Every structure is written in C-alpha cells, then in structure tokens.
C-alpha cells in the first residue's frame, strides 16, 4: 500500500533534548509505502499507484508514557471537592485513589475489561498507537492480578501495551511496611508478566523507606522502575536512586533546581495533572534551562480523565514553556524511548511499524483551534482506525 502526496513532519531516531535539537524535518510531496504493518520506504511522490492524500500532513503516532486506564467507577464529584480540601484532603477522607480502588475491587473482571477496552479504543482513535498502562487500583494480591489479567487480555486484543506494576497507596488502615511484604510477593510472583515496577512516593502515599525496599527487590529480580516522585511534595527520594535501574522519573513538579542538574533519566511530564493540581510552572522552565529529555504522558486516570494526546499537547502549548516541536518530539520519539519502543515507533522511517497520524491541517493548529479535532485518520500497523480511508 502507498499513501502519496503527503507533507511529512518527522523527527530523527535519536532522543531529543529540550532547547537543543527538537526541530523536525518537514518534507513535501512524500509517499509512504508499507506492507504487513511495516514501513518499506519513503520516497518523493510521482506517478505511482496509491491513495492520493493531496497534501495532508502526517506525523508519527503518539505513545502515551504514563496512564491508568484500567479501573472501574467515577470520581466526577471530586472536581469541586478538591477546591475546598485539595487532592491530599480528598485522599485522607477515603476518596481519590481509595474510591477507585473500592469500585475496581467490587466490579467483575469482565466489567473491568469492557470499560478499560472502551478507554483504550478512544485513546487509539486520538492517535495513541502504543502506551504504558499501570495497575495500582487493586492494591491487594488478588485484585492487582485481576488488573494484570485485564491488561494481558487487552494486549492480546492488539493494543500495544507496556505494563507497570504500581504500588499506589497502602491498603486502608495498614502500615506501609506491612503492605511491603505483600507487594514484594506480587513483584516476584507476577514477574515477568509486567515490564516495570512503580511506586507513588509522596505525601499521602508511600515513604522513601518503602520505595528503597521496593527498589532493592526490583534489582534482585531484574525489573526496571518508573517512579511517581515529587508530585505533591519533595520527600528527598532522588537521593536513593543512584544504584538502581530507573527508566523514567514522572511528575517531579516539586523537584529543586539543585536536584535537577544531576538527573540523566527521561522525565515524564504530565501537564494535565499539573493543571488540575493548580501547580506553577517553574519546574518546566528549569527542564528547558538544563536541556533535559522529556516524554509526554496523559496520566489518563479517574482524576485526569483524558483520552487525547492532541488535547494534552494543545493545553501544554498554552500553559507550559514547551514549543510545539518539543511537545511533538516528547510524545513521539522521546515517548518511544521512555517505554522501550524506539525500534518500532517514534518516527516515520523504513523498518518501523506503519503507525502514524494523518492530520486534518497544519500541526500548528493544535492548541490554536481548540474546538477542532486535528486528526483525520490514525494508521495503526498499516490499518485505518477511524475508517476515513478505504483500502
């Protein structure tokens, strides 16, 4: 199959750092030939047979680096409640994560699967071709495995998933170090059915001591970590990470300038959560100052119920110092590195999966025309997702 007469907006295959090398290559009159879900070649359009897309822009497919789409329940009433008592206050009163845990434990595995599949389909329709998904709403052994089974089932359905086993919060009324034994058992028993381990180390969640013990066990069994850090408060956890395999550092809003200088890991930025928490943007400016590599995630969850990476990019263009080029690099090639998918996705080149997005206009309209859906069609491994192209 050949798509012809496209404007290609594409990045090189290297990891891009802020303020240095995030500019894409823009090529006119490009044809993309693909077969069996793999890109065969890119070439200048001529008289070849193919589907003429008449100058539409094409960008690489998005990869979501941080998401929680596997859950049951609803927390829509907490939007106004957070204005009165804050996110931590909602958590302390048994809402927030704990409310979702209660609903996820109560719902059947089939209901959990159906609800989650619906979310993943909507994410894919908005251009997400691969993603990281987390457990963490089951808490106990049996319900975390229920979430894991649903993730495995979704993977068999054709969703390209990296799975993270997440220590989200302690069980209600349980000391965190008592919970540690159960979580370590999950880590051992479930591995290698998951790809990463994660700990929410913050106020209202887990302490540095808990995190340290999880990382020691992760090192013993050979699993890399992605970490929720410094979202609500800075507990000083960055000091203990040097000897461990840390793939990404996520949230990080309360990280100091002195701490940031020594960080070499990819930092997953989650601007929708930052917006919902009413945080200030000094940290994002520091990321640009120190030319860090960032990836962009939706943080899709009951707290930030967002299906669309284009929407995340649109908001981010308005509330962060990041440019459109930087945000698109963060959600494509850098995101691919973040979830160990850079050999399959991230940019459009021969040998990678034919997973890309055909836009309805110039990429500059993302974050400018908020009422307008910028996506015309999503091609996932050579197949149209929305059905706008017939072949």
């Amino acid at each position: 199959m050949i798509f012809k007469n496209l404007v290609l907006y594409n990045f090189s295959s290297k990891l891009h750092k802020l303020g240095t090398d995030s500019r894409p290559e823009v090529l006119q009159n490009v044809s993309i030939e693909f077969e069996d879900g793999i890109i065969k070649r890119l070439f200048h359009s001529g008289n070849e047979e193919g589907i003429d897309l008449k100058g539409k822009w094409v960008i690489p497919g998005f990869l979501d680096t941080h998401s929680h789409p596997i859950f049951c329940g609803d927390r829509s009433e907490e939007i106004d409640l957070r204005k009165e008592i804050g996110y931590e206050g909602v958590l302390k009163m048994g809402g927030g994560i704990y409310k979702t845990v209660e609903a996820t434990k109560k719902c059947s595995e089939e209901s959990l699967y159906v609800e989650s599949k619906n979310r993943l389909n909507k994410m894919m329709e908005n251009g997400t071709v691969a993603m990281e998904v987390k457990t963490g709403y089951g808490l106990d052994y049996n319900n975390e495995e229920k979430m894991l089974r649903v993730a495995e089932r979704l993977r068999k359905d054709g969703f390209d998933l990296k799975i993270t086993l997440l220590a989200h919060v302690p069980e209600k009324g349980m000391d965190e170090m008592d919970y540690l034994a159960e979580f370590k058992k999950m880590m051992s028993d479930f591995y290698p059915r998951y790809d990463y381990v994660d700990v929410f180390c913050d106020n209202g969640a887990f302490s540095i001591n808990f995190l340290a013990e999880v990382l020691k066990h992760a090192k013993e069994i050979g699993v890399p970590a992605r970490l929720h850090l410094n979202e609500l408060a800075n507990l000083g956890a960055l000091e203990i990470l040097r000897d461990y395999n840390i793939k990404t550092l996520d949230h990080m809003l309360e990280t100091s300038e002195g701490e940031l200088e020594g960080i070499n890991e990819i930092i997953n930025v989650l601007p929708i959560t930052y917006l919902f928490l009413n945080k200030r943007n000094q940290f994002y400016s520091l990321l640009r100052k120190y030319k860090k590599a960032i990836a962009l995630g939706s943080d899709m969850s009951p707290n930030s119920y967002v299906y669309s990476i284009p929407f995340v990019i649109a908001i981010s263009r308005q509330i962060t110092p990041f440019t459109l080029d930087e945000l698109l690099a963060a959600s494509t090639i850098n995101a691919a590195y973040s979830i160990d998918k850079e050999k399959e996705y991230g940019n459009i080149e021969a040998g990678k999966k034919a997973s890309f997005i055909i836009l309805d206009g110039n990429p500059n309209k993302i974050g400018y025309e908020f009422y307008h859906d910028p996506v015309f069609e999503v091609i996932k491994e050579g197949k149209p997702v929305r059905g706008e192209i017939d072949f």
Side-chain angles (χ1 to χ4, degrees), residues 120-179:
L120 265 62
N121 274 323
K122 290 180 180 178
M123 294 168 80
M124 188 165 63
E125 288 168 5
N126 282 283
T128 299
V129 296
M131 69 187 79
E132 182 259 14
V133 299
K134 301 179 189 293
T135 69
Y137 291 125
L139 299 193
D140 64 60
Y141 187 102
N142 289 335
N143 283 289
E144 283 292 291
E145 189 171 25
K146 178 172 79 171
M147 292 189 70
L148 182 57
R149 286 194 300 269
V150 167
E152 291 171 323
R153 188 172 169 186
L154 291 167
R155 188 183 266 171
K156 289 179 181 177
D157 286 341
F159 296 102
D160 200 339
L161 308 181
K162 285 283 192 170
I163 302 170
T164 298
L165 184 70
L166 169 62
H168 217 166
V169 288
E171 285 271 26
K172 272 187 185 179
M174 181 184 290
D175 180 81
E176 67 170 17
M177 299 315 282
D178 292 332
Y179 181 70

Side-chain angles (χ1 to χ4, degrees), residues 75 77-100 102 172 204:
R75 280 162 43 193
E77 79 287 349
E78 291 183 1
I79 298 172
D80 293 330
L81 188 59
R82 286 199 304 269
K83 297 172 186 175
E84 297 177 25
I85 60 176
Y87 180 88
E88 293 170 79
V90 173
L91 197 61
K92 285 178 182 176
M93 66 175 282
I97 294 167
Y98 285 114
K99 183 174 182 183
T100 302
E102 182 180 4
K172 272 187 185 179

Side-chain angles (χ1 to χ4, degrees), residues 34 37 354-356 377-386 391:
F34 54 95
S355 295
F356 47 85
E377 180 62 276
V378 179
I379 304 299
K380 173 72 165 65
E381 297 184 36
K383 298 179 181 179
V385 172
R386 294 190 173 193
F391 62 93

Side-chain angles (χ1 to χ4, degrees), residues 294-331:
I294 65 166
L296 184 72
S298 68
D299 200 12
M300 198 291 165
S301 72
N303 185 58
S304 45
Y305 213 127
V306 178
Y307 297 122
S308 170
I309 291 291
F311 176 76
V312 176
I313 293 171
I315 293 293
S316 300
R317 281 190 80 187
Q318 298 289 345
I319 68 170
T320 76
F322 308 135
T323 67
L324 176 64
D325 291 345
E326 290 169 342
L327 290 164
L328 286 170
S331 55

Side-chain angles (χ1 to χ4, degrees), residues 63-116:
L63 297 95
D64 198 331
T65 61
H66 183 125
S67 73
H68 306 254
I70 302 175
F71 65 88
C72 290
D74 177 274
R75 280 162 43 193
S76 55
E77 79 287 349
E78 291 183 1
I79 298 172
D80 293 330
L81 188 59
R82 286 199 304 269
K83 297 172 186 175
E84 297 177 25
I85 60 176
Y87 180 88
E88 293 170 79
V90 173
L91 197 61
K92 285 178 182 176
M93 66 175 282
I97 294 167
Y98 285 114
K99 183 174 182 183
T100 302
V101 168
E102 182 180 4
T104 302
K105 285 184 174 184
K106 285 182 178 179
C107 76
S108 69
E109 187 168 323
E110 184 64 20
S111 294
L112 182 61
Y113 164 73
V114 170
E115 288 188 33
S116 303

Side-chain angles (χ1 to χ4, degrees), residues 328-343:
L328 286 170
S331 55
T332 56
I333 188 61
N334 284 11
Y337 276 97
S338 171
I339 62 172
D340 296 300
K341 288 283 186 180
E342 70 275 9
K343 294 181 181 178

